Every structure is written in structure tokens, then in C-alpha cells.
Amino acid sequence: MKKIIIGIIVIIFLIPLSYVIYEYTLTESYLKECDDIVLNLSREVAVRWDNNNFPEFAKDFLFLDDFDRKSSLYNSSTIKMPEYKEEMLYDSKLQEIYSKDISEIVPKDFSAIKQKFAPGILKKMKEEKRDDYLSPEESKDALLRPTNRLLSRTVEYWCACSFQLNKNGDYNTSLLLPLGAFYLIREAELFYGNCSHFDYKYIVTTNSNKMASLAILAWASQPHFESKELSKKVALDILDLVKHDCSITRYIEFYKYFVDCAFGRLSFINSLIGKDFHESSHYKDRVNYLINKPLDFEKEPYYEIKDEYERYSREAKSYASDMTNDSSYNPLPDYLFNREKIIIHSVFAKSYPHESLINERRYVEEYLSYMEFSAVALLINSYYCYNKRLPKTIEDLEEWCGKKLPTNRIDNTPYDIDTKGEHTLTYKNVKKAYYSYEKRKPLYFDFQR
């Protein structure tokens, strides 16, 4: 009798234990399926490149070093293109070093750039600006874009050529080169496939547009009377480019597209757990927080939502960290009784691009600030060349050019033109507003008569 009782007790314990083991193992198998699906999707949408697919105006003026000519590993013997840096703007010694560094890289004969590249940019200026980016579905069949590296280094090359041409006295061609950089980066972002990944906006668009803006600031720092009409046109064109900048919405939409593709392929699990993932509160919560909320921020000027956005960024970093570190659920009870939550969590965590999704608006505001700042600097230069004096106020400049000029993107204050102080124009917030732990100087424009 005692053995029977012991056997019954063992069976009583074994049945729930067996159930727990079975359910846990089943959930683990589903999660393995999730991992495989997300991995396969990642491979399908992974950025593939084709360096032959450059816009017509740019393809004959690329910076192709040994790395880009061959499909080989990078080595230290590859030609290094010097970068035009902010501290060089008004430092003659640094400019001399830069000039020496680029002397063996820039062409000895600029006639091709002058006769073919410059007219191509003038033609681009006359075209209507588009901002209708490709959908994730459309991008599948679109041309593959060039590599991030070749795009970035070509912009560096064009800025170097601009510096040399300015030094040589060809001011018109010199100015059109950095403007061409804006067009190159923009067209690669808008009209090519595999551009819906955050690294392009962060690594290429931000850095390249800032560098081109610095080249324009260097050009605008001294009067060029023969280029006064062109500098005004270029300034207004830059402001038009800013107005039609590719929205971050594209990148957020791509993240949701990727997630939903994963859930679509997991449809066989839907029937097993008896629930549509898209109807789950866990799915809706993550979509609302990681997708809908950033999309709502996109609808407002940054200065109006800055404080709320900063709070969201801090919270979202923690949220994303918890999500990717599997700390937003209780493994055992959820594995057994809340399987759809585990699966949804896994897909979002494995698909989440990285922190730049949270910070993307900041990066965009920074490079757009550089572009607007360089445009205002060009207008000041043109104004001086037309009127033989500097504008006294930003209102004076607006009345002359017939356009309302942008304000500070951080606090909506107008630019302050100081004709007697140390700096003609100052953007106090452009860098330190985003990274308070870095002690960086504001962005300056000094007009040297």
C-alpha cells in the first residue's frame, strides 16, 4: 500500500513536471524558429552595394582608391583622403597642412570638373525637388546604391577639390562642388534600393552634409564679387534641399515593415497559440512605443517637442536595453502561459536596429542646422558683394533676398548678425545641445573683408 501511495505521489509530481518541460521545450522551439526567420529576413534586406550605380552628374568624379577598385581587404597602404574639419575653418596653419595633404590627391587639371561637373549641378538646381522616398517594397527592385565608404570619401574628395579651386581663383566651380555633395547624398538616400537602414542616415548623410557645409562656410568667409549671383542662388537652393530632406519616417516605417514580415512568416505559430500577433496587446504596446511615438515626433518642429523628445530618448534607451537583454518578462511563467508575449518580445528585440533609431532626430537636426547655417553665410557674402556692406540684422538680409530665413532649430530664436563683434554669425546650440558631456564650441561664421 505504501508503495502505491508513493507511486501516486510520484505520478502527481511527474505529470505537471512533464507538462512544464514540454511547454518550455515547445516555446524554445518557437523561439528558435523566430531567430531563424529574423536572421533570414536580415540576410534578404541586408544592404548590398554596386559602385557602378552613381548618379550621372557624379559618376566621372569619384574618389576610387585601391580599396574601392578591388574587392579586397583594407590595408594601410590605401590612399587616405584628408577630412575637412571644423577647426580648419579660420586657422591658416591648419589650412596649409590640409593643402599640402591634398596636393597629391586632387587633380592637376580641373577642366573636366569645370566643363562637365559644374554644368551638371547647375542643371540639378533647376529641377523640382522631390521627397517621395521609396517604400520598402519598392526598394527591393530599385538600383543598389554605392557603398557608404565610397560615397563618404567622394564627398571628402569634392571638398578637397573645392578648397583647391577656391585657392586657384575658380570660385564658381569651387562653390558648386559642395553643393553637388548635398545632391549626391540626397539622391542615394531617396532613389536607390537598400537605403532604409539607419546606418546610412547616421553615418553617411549626417557626416557628409556637415563636411560639405564646412566647405561652403570656408568659401563664404571671403567676398567673391564675381560669384555674388551664384552664391545667392546656391544659398536658396540649399534651403530648398533642407525643406525636402528625406524624412526619418522612411526608416521607422522600414523597421515596422521588417517586424511585420517576420510575424507574417510566423503565421503557422498563430494557429498553434490561437492568437493573431497583431491583435496582441504586447504587439500594440511595442508598436506604439517604438514606432508610433517617433512618428508623432516627426510631425512637429524639434524646438516644440525637444524636452519631450529628450525624455523619450532616455526612456527608450532603457526600454531597448531591457528588451534586448530579455529583462522585460518573467521567463518561466511567460514561457508556460504567455507564449505570444515571448515570441513578440523576441522578434522586436532581434529586429531592433540599434540606438540610432532613438537618436535619429537629433542627428538630422544637427546636419540640417549646418546646411541652413551655411546657406545664411552665403547670403551674407552675396549681400556684401551686392551692397558693399554687411547686413545689419537678419531682417535686413531677409528683406534683401525676399525669403524668410530659418531660425535656430533648437529654440526657434532668429540668427543674430554681429558686424562688430568677434563672429559674424553664431550657432550656439548646434553641437553641444545633443551631447552635453562633450565640451564642444558653437559653430561660427566669420566674414573676413
Side-chain angles (χ1 to χ4, degrees):
M1 185 66 179
K2 185 177 180 180
K3 290 182 178 180
I4 294 174
I5 294 173
I6 292 174
I8 292 172
I9 292 173
V10 170
I11 292 172
I12 290 172
F13 276 100
L14 282 177
I15 290 174
L17 180 61
S18 299
Y19 172 78
V20 168
I21 292 172
Y22 170 77
E23 290 294 318
Y24 192 91
T25 304
L26 187 60
T27 302
E28 278 291 311
S29 70
Y30 289 162
L31 290 177
K32 176 63 169 61
E33 191 70 31
C34 287
D35 291 348
D36 291 343
I37 285 174
V38 171
L39 179 61
N40 289 333
L41 267 173
S42 298
R43 288 170 177 166
E44 290 174 22
V45 302
V47 178
R48 290 169 289 124
W49 319 99
D50 188 340
N51 281 341
N52 294 314
N53 291 337
F54 265 84
E56 188 66 28
F57 74 88
K59 64 182 182 181
D60 293 331
F61 306 99
L62 311 179
F63 184 76
L64 286 165
D65 59 15
D66 291 342
F67 180 91
D68 292 307
R69 289 193 183 97
K70 304 172 184 177
S71 299
S72 59
L73 296 175
Y74 179 80
N75 61 75
S76 58
S77 64
T78 300
I79 301 170
K80 180 174 177 57
M81 169 55 65
E83 180 182 351
Y84 197 98
K85 297 183 178 179
E86 196 166 316
E87 54 266 29
M88 290 168 44
L89 274 176
Y90 311 110
D91 190 319
S92 58
K93 291 184 179 179
L94 291 178
Q95 289 179 7
E96 288 176 12
I97 295 172
Y98 178 74
S99 180
K100 183 178 179 181
D101 289 342
I102 66 173
S103 60
E104 297 302 318
I105 298 173
V106 298
K108 305 301 181 186
D109 183 1
F110 287 96
S111 58
I113 291 178
K114 183 175 182 178
Q115 294 168 12
K116 186 175 180 181
F117 181 90
I121 301 304
L122 291 171
K123 182 180 178 181
K124 299 297 297 181
M125 292 173 67
K126 296 177 181 178
E127 295 176 1
E128 183 179 356
K129 306 294 186 292
R130 293 174 51 191
D131 50 18
D132 51 331
Y133 56 85
L134 299 174
S135 69
E137 287 290 347
E138 290 172 328
S139 69
K140 291 179 181 178
D141 300 320
L143 288 174
L144 300 179
R145 64 176 164 84
T147 62
N148 288 352
R149 183 178 185 276
L150 184 52
L151 285 163
S152 297
R153 289 171 73 81
T154 294
V155 170
E156 293 172 359
Y157 175 60
W158 290 357
C159 289
C161 291
S162 172
F163 180 90
Q164 190 61 47
L165 282 164
N166 191 31
K167 189 176 178 181
N168 295 350
D170 187 349
Y171 303 122
N172 284 0
T173 309
S174 172
L175 179 56
L176 290 172
L177 276 158
L179 178 63
F182 293 145
Y183 277 104
L184 173 63
I185 298 307
R186 182 176 184 277
E187 292 198 12
E189 184 174 15
L190 279 174
F191 308 131
Y192 287 74
N194 298 104
C195 283
S196 298
H197 293 261
F198 289 89
D199 63 342
Y200 184 80
K201 195 79 170 173
Y202 171 51
I203 297 173
V204 183
T205 305
T206 298
N207 294 334
S208 296
N209 282 355
K210 286 170 64 176
M211 190 182 304
S213 298
L214 293 177
I216 289 174
L217 287 174
W219 187 96
S221 63
Q222 295 182 337
H224 301 300
F225 292 95
E226 63 273 48
S227 302
K228 60 185 179 182
E229 182 179 358
L230 179 64
S231 58
K232 182 178 180 180
K233 288 181 177 178
V234 169
L236 297 178
D237 196 58
I238 292 172
L239 295 179
D240 202 18
L241 286 172
V242 169
K243 181 180 176 182
H244 291 88
D245 186 68
C246 184
S247 171
I248 308 169
T249 299
R250 173 181 190 175
Y251 299 86
I252 301 171
E253 287 173 348
F254 181 81
Y255 175 44
K256 186 174 186 300
Y257 167 80
F258 186 97
V259 166
D260 286 343
C261 282
F263 287 128
R265 297 187 184 187
L266 286 167
S267 57
F268 73 97
I269 296 180
N270 287 11
S271 59
L272 295 175
I273 66 174
K275 193 166 189 176
D276 183 352
F277 291 119
H278 295 88
E279 297 302 317
S280 168
S281 61
H282 307 299
Y283 170 85
K284 292 177 181 177
D285 287 345
R286 280 166 173 75
V287 167
N288 284 334
Y289 193 73
L290 295 173
I291 295 169
N292 293 340
K293 195 156 189 174
L295 288 176
D296 287 339
F297 283 129
E298 273 292 277
K299 299 172 185 176
E300 305 295 337
Y302 187 73
Y303 58 82
E304 290 186 2
I305 50 92
K306 182 170 70 76
D307 293 339
E308 184 182 356
Y309 188 87
E310 293 295 328
R311 285 193 297 271
Y312 169 76
S313 296
R314 291 191 293 268
E315 294 168 0
K317 284 181 185 178
S318 176
Y319 185 93
S321 177
D322 288 345
M323 187 172 64
T324 53
N325 291 327
D326 292 341
S327 57
S328 62
Y329 60 86
N330 299 309
L332 187 56
D334 284 339
Y335 263 56
L336 301 180
F337 307 112
N338 207 350
R339 190 172 288 140
E340 81 276 2
K341 177 181 178 181
I342 296 290
I343 295 171
I344 289 168
H345 171 91
S346 177
V347 170
F348 273 91
K350 297 284 192 304
S351 308
Y352 197 72
H354 46 70
E355 186 179 298
S356 69
L357 171 61
I358 299 167
N359 292 324
E360 200 70 40
R361 181 70 185 267
R362 297 175 174 185
Y363 301 138
V364 170
E365 294 298 323
E366 182 170 335
Y367 79 71
L368 291 180
S369 296
Y370 269 72
M371 292 176 69
E372 290 175 339
F373 192 82
S374 68
V376 175
L378 277 178
L379 288 173
I380 291 173
N381 185 295
S382 182
Y383 182 101
Y384 179 86
C385 292
Y386 272 107
N387 299 286
K388 306 299 188 298
R389 67 175 180 85
L390 288 172
K392 295 179 180 178
T393 63
I394 198 71
E395 291 79 13
D396 192 11
L397 189 62
E398 288 176 335
E399 183 178 354
W400 171 77
C401 72
K403 184 177 181 64
K404 180 69 177 175
L405 296 179
T407 57
N408 187 309
R409 286 180 165 266
I410 308 303
D411 57 18
N412 198 33
T413 56
Y415 286 102
D416 181 24
I417 298 175
D418 186 356
T419 59
K420 297 180 181 180
E422 183 180 1
H423 304 293
T424 310
L425 204 63
T426 302
Y427 200 114
K428 297 180 180 179
N429 307 92
V430 67
K431 299 186 92 170
K432 65 182 181 180
Y434 307 124
Y435 311 105
S436 58
Y437 56 88
E438 294 184 7
K439 295 181 179 179
R440 296 181 177 181
K441 295 180 180 179
L443 181 63
Y444 298 120
F445 170 62
D446 295 335
F447 184 74
Q448 302 163 353
R449 287 170 278 183

